[in-house]
Amino acid sequence: MDPSQPKIGILSAHTEREKKLENKRLIDEITGLGGDAAIVNYRRCAVGVLETGRGLFQYDDDDVPVRVEVDAVIPRVGKFVESGVWVLQLLTSQGVYTTAGPEAVATAKSKMSTHIALDAHGVPTLYGIMPTGTKPRDPTGTFKLLEPDPTRKLIVKTDRGSHGEGVLPPTPRRGAIANAQAYRANNIRYIMQEFAEAPDPEELASDVRIIVVENRIIGAMKRSAKDIGEFRSNISLGGQGEPYEPTPREAELALRACAVLNLDVGGVDIISSSRGSVVNEVNVSPEFGGIEAFTEADVARHIAELAMKHAVRRQPAEIASAPAVLMSGS
């Protein structure tokens, strides 16, 4: 490795890390910008406070801990949130730049924590309520807090999860109670949430995914479910995407959501409700293969530029910028 090349770490625990589309795209873009990209498997690391100082180590195939040295990091943290947070705590303590800090990752990876943070700053989200422990055995009263009308459909979903996993089909209160009790019986933390139904029952369920990089909207798409019976619009579940121009309100919500959570990179999902547009989720390490496929947005390029810009503050270098598809904010 050329010591003058900034080394950008990509935190990923994917089993085929280098082959995963987003990782490969980031590696290609970082390399094209003159950097050196390295996959850091945060599930194979150790964080240490030693006589020699704080250090991050990654185990090789022989269980030998090898020190990790990076100039900037792009977290692609999945389900193993605590492991990713520990690694980010260590790196940020060393002054390493990250597109999302440990606190931001911890908050964004919890759907309820995200809703609390956004609501506290006046960003509208879907209404929801989450038990914090073993209560209630009978969630009827809790559902009444959320929706007095027992015929209105409600969602029960896990606090963590992506790609639509852990989200049970919307059902009136009686079915929602059974779903909540099933999650409780299996010690799974769950959220009871309002269901934003499409105004036309023959209309496909849809939402808007907006990608924000350093307070700029660089791409957006509308995602639609694969058929009428599917209430989730995730691309990974067969949903279809199309280029989309966010309304001023949607753009404002996306930028404010990322600002509240202190994310330099974020994927904001916005859905229509009876109260207008609201934020459904904020993704701290959004998958961008879909939006790159369905739009002209070069998401990987913008993320790579961001990491390189902050990594090379000690080693200045010129970086050719990719044009933003959509420009918002300052």
Side-chain angles (χ1 to χ4, degrees):
M1 171 189 165
D2 184 343
S4 67
Q5 288 182 306
K7 188 167 185 178
I8 312 299
I10 302 170
L11 298 190
S12 175
H14 197 272
T15 52
E16 293 186 315
R17 300 177 302 282
E18 292 82 357
K19 295 181 181 179
K20 184 172 172 61
L21 174 61
E22 283 78 9
N23 290 348
K24 186 176 186 306
R25 288 281 295 116
L26 289 170
I27 290 170
D28 289 345
E29 293 293 347
I30 291 167
T31 303
L33 291 169
D36 178 55
I39 299 292
V40 179
N41 187 336
Y42 59 90
R43 289 281 288 167
R44 295 183 59 174
C45 285
V47 293
V49 178
L50 309 171
E51 184 177 355
T52 54
R54 296 183 304 281
L56 175 66
F57 304 86
Q58 182 170 218
Y59 294 103
D60 65 15
D61 291 338
D62 296 319
D63 284 345
V64 176
V66 179
R67 183 177 288 272
V68 174
E69 300 282 1
V70 292
D71 299 303
V73 65
I74 302 169
R76 305 287 306 168
V77 177
K79 63 178 66 174
F80 305 108
V81 180
E82 287 80 8
S83 298
V85 167
W86 286 324
V87 169
L88 287 170
Q89 284 178 329
L90 190 288
L91 291 174
T92 54
S93 80
Q94 296 176 320
V96 174
Y97 170 76
T98 174
T99 58
E103 297 85 0
V105 170
T107 299
K109 295 300 289 186
S110 163
K111 295 179 175 65
M112 199 66 216
S113 293
T114 297
H115 290 315
I116 292 170
L118 294 180
D119 186 72
H121 289 83
V123 179
T125 69
L126 288 172
Y127 293 141
I129 188 167
M130 183 186 78
T132 61
T134 58
K135 288 284 190 176
R137 292 181 180 275
D138 180 0
T140 302
T142 310
F143 276 113
K144 287 180 179 179
L145 289 175
L146 180 63
E147 174 53 66
D149 183 352
T151 66
R152 292 287 299 274
K153 291 182 179 179
L154 297 165
I155 289 282
V156 175
K157 65 183 184 181
T158 55
D159 182 49
R160 290 182 178 175
S162 57
H163 312 298
E165 296 175 351
V167 184
L168 299 178
T171 176
R173 185 189 298 165
R174 180 173 295 181
I177 289 172
N179 288 338
Q181 289 174 325
Y183 270 147
R184 177 189 172 279
N186 287 280
N187 296 313
I188 299 172
R189 193 176 304 284
Y190 64 90
I191 300 173
M192 312 173 205
Q193 191 175 69
E194 68 172 314
F195 175 56
E197 295 188 76
D200 182 354
E202 296 303 313
E203 181 181 338
L204 292 172
S206 65
D207 69 356
V208 174
R209 162 64 63 87
I210 299 177
I211 301 292
V212 176
V213 177
E214 203 171 26
N215 200 37
R216 293 189 304 162
I217 293 176
I218 56 110
M221 69 174 171
K222 180 178 180 180
R223 305 184 301 183
S224 300
K226 62 180 180 179
D227 55 46
I228 295 296
E230 177 57 71
F231 65 99
R232 298 164 296 182
S233 56
N234 304 73
I235 301 298
S236 60
L237 296 176
Q240 291 296 307
E242 59 182 291
Y244 182 78
E245 180 81 28
T247 66
R249 176 60 172 165
E250 290 166 341
E252 177 193 12
L253 290 179
L255 293 171
R256 287 176 60 196
C258 288
V260 167
L261 298 181
N262 197 25
L263 297 176
D264 281 352
V265 174
V268 183
D269 297 342
I270 296 176
I271 194 167
S272 296
S273 76
S274 59
R275 293 173 282 119
S277 296
V278 298
V279 175
N280 185 25
E281 291 186 16
V282 181
N283 300 273
V284 67
S285 50
E287 295 200 348
F288 49 80
I291 199 166
E292 287 193 335
F294 292 112
T295 75
E296 296 179 359
D298 195 346
V299 178
R301 175 74 171 201
H302 285 284
I303 297 174
E305 287 174 359
L306 174 64
M308 287 285 288
K309 179 177 74 172
H310 288 278
V312 299
R313 284 177 174 172
R314 290 166 291 178
Q315 306 169 15
E318 297 216 355
I319 301 175
S321 295
V325 177
L326 297 165
M327 303 291 288
S328 299
S330 58

